[in-house]
């Protein structure tokens, strides 16, 4: 059910940069102009600024710089039946919250977004820096009910979709580094963490988590990340509209999931992989289970494993690992 704030935002966004009269809003919603004004105050408290003119009504002057649930919902283009969106101020980890919601039988699909995480997690038990509400911390929950083998290339597929989304949305040139990093010139702007619970031979549920550095300014990182992390705003040279990006992201993730489950992704995967993969032909070191392997990346197999040609010409295959790109000889 859309709330009054949803409807007000929908009307204002549809007319932007034009005006919407208070009388028209009041008539549409069947409430008084005073009530409209009170709802506008609520939206102001959440970070909106409005211009108001007696003869013309209202129009949006500024949007909130942090996540705003109704603004995201209003801008969603795709909305599968039953989809719900949770936007939290602070949570330990959106992946953990999604898992708790799944355990409590919340219907899927749903998304959990948070302005901050107190225990944001990355792969291999690493911490995901999650203190800035200028960035995105998002988890998407599904119950795919397919064999685990079917999902082997899922994270890579989602990464390709995210690269495509960012390229179109922010006119930037991202790269995907196997298995889960979104990079710009070797610096990391996004990381993905997919976690699944498996019943005997089927996936019971799956959480796809994404951390995306959106508007942290250059110089805004803690010392240990300063040389490795980058935000989209730094790359694009301007701040991005976080809520518009969040809405586009939700739409793209839901669509990409469905395409994958319907096996429609098979026709598109190779093209996107060639466009966004940053490792092909590069000399790398790959750390796996305490062992370090070196070689040149030759590609990916059907199961999403990375193929590496070592110094003896032997092709090695890796299902997991930590990759460092080495300098070419
Ligand atoms: C990585 O690069 O190692 C993966 C990072 C994944 C971070 C995201 S932020 C939203 C979601 N919640 C978490 O605790 N982790 C993922």
């Amino acid at each position: 059910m859309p709330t009054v704030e949803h409807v007000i935002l929908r009307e204002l966004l549809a007319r932007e940069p034009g005006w919407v009269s208070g009388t028209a809003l009041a008539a549409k919603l069947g409430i008084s102009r005073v009530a409209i004004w009170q709802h506008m105050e609520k939206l102001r408290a959440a970070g909106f600024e409005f211009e108001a003119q007696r003869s013309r009504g209202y129009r949006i002057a500024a949007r909130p710089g942090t996540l705003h649930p109704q603004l995201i919902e209003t801008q969603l283009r795709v909305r599968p039946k039953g989809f719900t969106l949770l936007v939290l101020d602070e949570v330990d980890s959106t992946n953990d919250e999604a898992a708790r919601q799944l355990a409590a039988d919340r219907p899927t699909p749903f998304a959990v977004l948070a302005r901050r995480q107190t225990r944001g997690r990355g792969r291999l038990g690493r911490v995901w820096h999650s203190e800035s509400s200028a960035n995105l911390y998002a988890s998407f929950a599904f119950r795919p009910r397919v064999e685990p083998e079917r999902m082997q290339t899922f994270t890579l597929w989602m990464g390709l979709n995210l690269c495509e989304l960012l390229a179109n949305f922010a006119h930037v040139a991202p790269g995907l580094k196997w298995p889960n990093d979104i990079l710009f010139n070797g610096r990391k702007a996004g990381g993905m963490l997919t976690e699944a619970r498996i019943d005997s031979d089927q996936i019971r549920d799956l959480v796809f988590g994404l951390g995306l550095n959106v508007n942290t300014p250059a110089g805004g990182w803690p010392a240990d990340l300063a040389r490795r992390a980058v935000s989209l705003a730094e790359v694009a040279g301007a701040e991005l509209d976080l809520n518009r990006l969040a809405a586009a992201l939700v739409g793209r993730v839901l669509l990409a999931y469905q395409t994958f489950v319907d096996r429609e992704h098979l026709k598109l995967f190779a093209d996107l992989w060639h466009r966004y993969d940053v490792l092909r032909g590069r000399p790398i070191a790959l750390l796996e289970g305490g062992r370090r392997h070196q070689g040149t990346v030759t590609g990916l197999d059907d199961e999403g494993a990375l193929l590496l040609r070592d110094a003896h010409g032997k092709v090695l295959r890796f299902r997991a690992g930590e990759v460092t790109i080495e300098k070419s000889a």
Side-chain angles (χ1 to χ4, degrees), residues 283-287 292-295 308 322-326:
I284 65 158
L286 187 145
L287 208 62
R292 188 167 184 273
H293 306 267
Q294 279 180 295
L308 193 63
E322 188 61 14
V323 170
T324 316
I325 302 175
E326 310 224 289

Side-chain angles (χ1 to χ4, degrees), residues 92-96 112 117 119-124 126 128 130 136-139 180-181 188 190-193 195 208-212:
D92 48 359
S93 148
T94 53
N95 267 33
D96 291 346
V112 183
Q117 297 182 117
R119 296 185 57 191
R121 298 183 287 109
R123 272 197 333 134
L124 312 169
R126 293 194 184 128
W128 184 259
S130 308
L136 279 177
Y137 316 110
S139 299
N180 72 324
D181 294 352
K188 184 156 165 172
M192 299 173 285
L193 182 67
E195 296 176 309
F208 169 70
L210 168 72
L212 197 56

Side-chain angles (χ1 to χ4, degrees), residues 236-271:
E239 275 199 10
L240 305 187
D241 181 331
L242 192 70
N243 288 292
R244 203 161 73 81
L245 178 58
L249 173 75
V250 169
R252 184 77 189 215
V253 167
L254 296 177
L255 197 67
Y257 169 80
Q258 203 50 54
T259 312
F260 190 92
V261 169
D262 295 343
R263 296 186 197 251
E264 291 292 316
H265 70 298
L266 295 168
K267 309 180 218 156
L268 309 165
F269 193 102
D271 262 7

